[in-house]
Amino acid sequence: MHIAEILPTAEVSRGSGLPRQLARRERNLDDLPVTTGSGKQMTLSAVLDRTYTDGFLVICNGAVAYERYFNGMAPRMLHLSQSVAKSVVGAVFGILSTRGEVDPTRLVTDYLPELSGTGWSGATLQHVLDMTSGVTFSEEYTDPHSDIGQVDVASGWKPVPSGADPAFRWPQNMWDLILGLRKTERPHGAAFKYRSIETDVLAFAMERVTGKRLPQLVSEELWQKIGAEENASFTVDGTGFALADGGFNASLRDYGRFGLAVLEGNVVPFSWVEATRRGSHGPGYSKLLPQGAYRNQFWIEDAETRNLLCRGVFGQMIYISRATDMVVVKVSSWPDFQSIPYERDALDAIHAIERALA
């Protein structure tokens, strides 16, 4: 909620148009019973409290059904989305792809020839979208020297760790980091493995094709068109590159408007959304979603519902269900990077809300 006071950011303008008005048919769901995966009985308000919620929004049949703020957050405040940003970037790619401006079947090096000496040589943009490239990249959040730890330094989020080897060459920016990833651990397309850096490669390709920086692209292709109420922002590195994999900030309701754009398939093309919902990587590849999938920078809950999820560490989530015509947004401040129990409780609460509002 205070990112702009800590890090340099670039504005994602909402433009000068009127915001999309959200109808309100509110229900008091505070005491809604929720049965968690462990069998524990809780109320919705207790689940939100237990999972360190800062803001929670339910939009059902196009109208706000429930909206709550905690921990000093307010409707106009921006909240860091962490890896929910990946889905925002993927949606903009889908818009450009549907217009024929970029082709996911082409090689990454067709758009970024400088990467011919990296692990992305031979990978397609679809591999990057689905995180099935074979690039070696360690996503160990608690290790400051891992590849994702180096992202923190390259993006300007954190300084070089104290006690680091003085002979180690830390990346100066995100492009520098990408150029240094030269190894592969499996053939491209062989398997899914979550790698945040894939989204940054995607963003560089989009910037190269359009000649526009990512904040401008998200503004023009998405934020202005969904009728956002507030300007959003990205954190930027020392070269001005927006951190595509996790640096996006927006208000709770505007995250809801983004979810509606995906649900309705208008701003984000319906054909792209349907292709996204057809991902097939399961079973057993995700602890939270054992029957799930990952496609086009979105998670898929399971093969039956094909509900889409945008997920970020520290408890960020957008849940998009076409079957129940529902979008749910949860922004949080967990004390730890990841918690499957907290995410599971959140999904159990969302399913309870779906049953109550059906």
Side-chain angles (χ1 to χ4, degrees):
M1 291 182 281
H2 301 282
I3 289 296
E5 301 168 25
I6 304 169
L7 298 170
T9 59
E11 182 181 85
V12 176
S13 173
R14 61 164 298 277
S16 58
L18 294 174
R20 173 177 177 170
Q21 295 300 307
L22 297 175
R24 304 191 74 89
R25 291 191 290 273
E26 296 184 67
R27 296 272 299 272
N28 186 350
L29 301 175
D30 292 346
D31 295 327
L32 179 73
V34 176
T35 303
T36 68
S38 62
K40 188 174 182 179
Q41 299 292 321
M42 303 177 72
T43 64
L44 175 59
S45 60
V47 171
L48 298 182
D49 180 64
R50 164 177 153 77
T51 59
Y52 297 88
T53 307
D54 296 326
F56 191 78
L57 177 69
V58 178
I59 302 175
C60 185
N61 298 319
V64 174
Y66 186 76
E67 182 175 7
R68 293 290 186 271
Y69 296 92
F70 311 93
N71 303 322
M73 190 176 177
R76 298 199 64 186
M77 286 185 177
L78 308 188
H79 197 290
L80 182 65
S81 69
Q82 301 286 356
S83 289
V84 169
K86 295 178 172 67
S87 301
V88 172
V89 173
V92 174
F93 185 96
I95 294 169
L96 298 177
S97 175
T98 303
R99 287 207 304 259
E101 295 184 32
V102 63
D103 183 351
T105 67
R106 290 182 61 180
L107 295 175
V108 171
T109 51
D110 289 343
Y111 298 98
L112 300 169
E114 301 94 324
L115 300 193
S116 60
T118 71
W120 284 281
S121 179
T124 67
L125 286 178
Q126 192 64 61
H127 291 141
V128 172
L129 283 159
D130 297 345
M131 296 197 184
T132 59
S133 85
V135 174
T136 301
F137 184 87
S138 58
E139 193 95 6
E140 298 296 330
Y141 298 114
T142 57
D143 179 2
H145 298 88
S146 67
D147 291 318
I148 195 66
Q150 293 179 52
V151 166
D152 285 339
V153 174
S155 64
W157 279 29
K158 293 181 180 179
V160 172
S162 60
D165 183 353
F168 182 78
R169 182 184 175 276
W170 288 85
Q172 299 300 299
N173 51 63
M174 292 301 293
W175 183 244
D176 190 26
L177 174 59
I178 288 168
L179 290 176
L181 295 170
R182 298 180 173 274
K183 297 180 180 179
T184 58
E185 59 189 28
R186 61 172 60 87
H188 299 310
F192 167 84
K193 183 179 179 182
Y194 192 80
R195 305 171 184 83
S196 286
I197 199 66
E198 304 270 43
T199 316
D200 299 293
V201 171
L202 196 67
F204 274 115
M206 292 160 60
E207 291 189 344
R208 187 70 60 86
V209 166
T210 62
K212 300 175 181 178
R213 279 291 174 94
L214 184 62
Q216 182 181 358
L217 277 172
V218 175
S219 169
E220 293 178 358
E221 301 294 349
L222 195 62
W223 226 239
Q224 295 183 39
K225 294 180 181 179
I226 67 171
E229 192 171 1
E230 308 293 339
N231 295 330
S233 69
F234 274 101
T235 67
V236 294
D237 69 11
T239 67
F241 175 73
L243 184 62
D245 69 63
F248 187 69
N249 304 266
S251 70
L252 184 71
R253 291 174 189 166
D254 284 343
Y255 285 128
R257 289 179 173 93
F258 167 67
L260 285 174
V262 175
L263 177 69
E264 295 165 351
N266 42 35
V267 176
V268 183
F270 182 84
S271 59
W272 178 262
V273 176
E274 278 301 285
T276 301
R277 296 176 71 222
R278 288 196 293 269
S280 57
H281 291 303
Y285 82 107
S286 166
K287 291 181 180 178
L288 177 69
L289 308 171
Q291 299 299 321
Y294 192 89
R295 176 79 167 171
N296 290 338
Q297 304 283 298
F298 286 80
W299 296 90
I300 304 161
E301 186 173 16
D302 55 53
E304 181 179 354
T305 66
R306 297 191 295 154
N307 294 330
L308 296 178
L309 287 90
C310 320
R311 298 167 61 204
V313 292
F314 296 107
Q316 322 318 319
M317 181 184 291
I318 303 176
Y319 176 91
I320 304 163
S321 173
R322 186 169 292 162
T324 57
D325 197 14
M326 184 175 293
V327 171
V328 180
V329 184
K330 186 181 190 295
V331 292
S332 317
S333 295
W334 291 351
D336 299 307
F337 289 98
Q338 295 175 305
S339 172
I340 295 301
Y342 288 165
E343 276 199 288
R344 185 70 263 165
D345 286 354
L347 273 180
D348 290 337
I350 290 169
H351 293 155
I353 292 169
E354 286 183 307
R355 291 189 293 271
L357 299 183

